[in-house]
Amino acid sequence: DIQMTQSPSSVSASVGDRVTITCRASQPINSWLAWYQQKPGKAPKLVIYAASTLQSGVPSRFSGSGFGTDFTLTITSLQPEDFATYFCQQANHFPLTFGGGTKVEIK
Amino acid sequence: QVQLVESGGGVVQPGRSLRLSCAASGFHFSGYAMKWVRQAPGRGLEWVAYTSYDETNKYYADSVKGRFTISRDNSKNTLYLQMNSLRAEDTAVYYCVRVNTFADYWGQGTLVTVSS
């Protein structure tokens, strides 16, 4: 199975800050990576797919990069509605696997 | 707009069965693969099962293989998850998810609690 290691597990930031979350796959997955945002009590929402493609309707302050084993989600100029938990997920191979999540909290 | 509405969750005793349903609308259901993803209380996300658009290909997480069965009725725009021999560790919110290469739409989830 492909293990997805996300870091950090939590980050405290202020409105306007730049936040970077990383995800590392235990073996190469090309660009078969997605990022999801989840708010408490709500279903996850797709933010980035294919490592770097912004899902329709998602603000351009979100961006993704990476290929192979190392990936990054960046939020520039953090907004109040961005405080949430973010998960990466690989879609290269079954079983599909998620990272452990990164909680973005208000400083 | 795309809607996925899960139902069938509840409290069930260990060893018993439960069937979840997911009613899909707002898109051509029979043209999309679908999957179930679960989330135990306060925990991360765990993929459970996947079916191709025509049920030709099905895959399961090791943790549910042999106990859970994913199926679909394209004439009713409905996805199912038959869960047998339930265990305490199956307690979670179960999400129905549309697969468009990646999981682009999620239902609101249905809570399954396995407890005596």
Side-chain angles (χ1 to χ4, degrees):
Chain A
D1 297 2
I2 299 175
Q3 308 302 319
M4 304 301 293
T5 303
Q6 233 180 291
S7 62
S9 57
S10 66
V11 57
S12 294
S14 301
V15 172
D17 284 354
R18 176 188 182 97
V19 171
T20 299
I21 300 168
T22 63
C23 185
R24 174 166 288 175
S26 60
Q27 57 187 271
I29 58 170
N30 295 323
S31 296
W32 292 95
L33 184 104
W35 290 97
Y36 300 93
Q37 176 195 69
Q38 187 179 34
K39 296 181 179 180
K42 300 294 186 181
K45 169 188 165 185
L46 179 63
V47 176
I48 298 283
Y49 63 94
S52 60
T53 303
L54 196 67
Q55 171 69 347
S56 175
V58 174
S60 59
R61 62 181 178 272
F62 289 87
S63 64
S65 65
F67 181 86
T69 60
D70 294 305
F71 301 88
T72 298
L73 173 70
T74 300
I75 312 171
T76 58
S77 191
L78 200 64
Q79 296 302 299
E81 60 268 29
D82 302 335
F83 291 96
T85 299
Y86 294 83
F87 295 92
C88 62
Q89 184 232 317
Q90 65 84 15
N92 185 64
H93 222 284
F94 287 98
L96 307 176
T97 45
F98 290 88
T102 297
K103 187 173 184 179
V104 178
E105 300 175 296
I106 301 173
K107 183 183 285 184
Chain B
Q1 72 280 22
V2 173
Q3 281 202 306
L4 299 167
V5 180
E6 302 94 337
S7 60
V11 180
V12 61
Q13 293 179 327
R16 304 298 290 265
S17 299
L18 207 59
R19 187 176 85 156
L20 305 183
S21 299
C22 170
S25 61
F27 67 102
H28 182 53
F29 179 73
S30 62
Y32 287 86
M34 299 291 294
K35 65 183 180 182
W36 290 95
V37 174
R38 68 184 180 183
Q39 187 170 35
R43 305 295 296 274
L45 299 167
E46 179 187 18
W47 165 74
V48 174
Y50 164 99
T51 176
S52 59
Y53 71 99
D54 60 356
E55 297 191 282
T56 299
N57 296 302
K58 295 184 181 182
Y59 302 96
Y60 298 91
D62 285 346
S63 57
V64 307
K65 201 173 294 182
R67 299 187 300 123
F68 289 13
T69 301
I70 189 171
S71 63
R72 62 192 298 161
D73 186 337
N74 286 342
S75 69
K76 295 183 178 178
N77 291 344
T78 302
L79 179 73
Y80 302 100
L81 186 67
Q82 177 66 43
M83 305 185 295
N84 298 332
S85 303
L86 282 161
R87 306 168 179 166
E89 54 265 36
D90 296 319
T91 294
V93 173
Y94 285 74
Y95 295 102
C96 164
V97 184
R98 188 180 86 165
V99 180
N100 187 14
T101 304
F102 294 90
D104 63 350
Y105 283 95
W106 298 59
Q108 84 289 349
T110 187
L111 176 62
V112 173
T113 302
V114 184
S115 173
S116 54

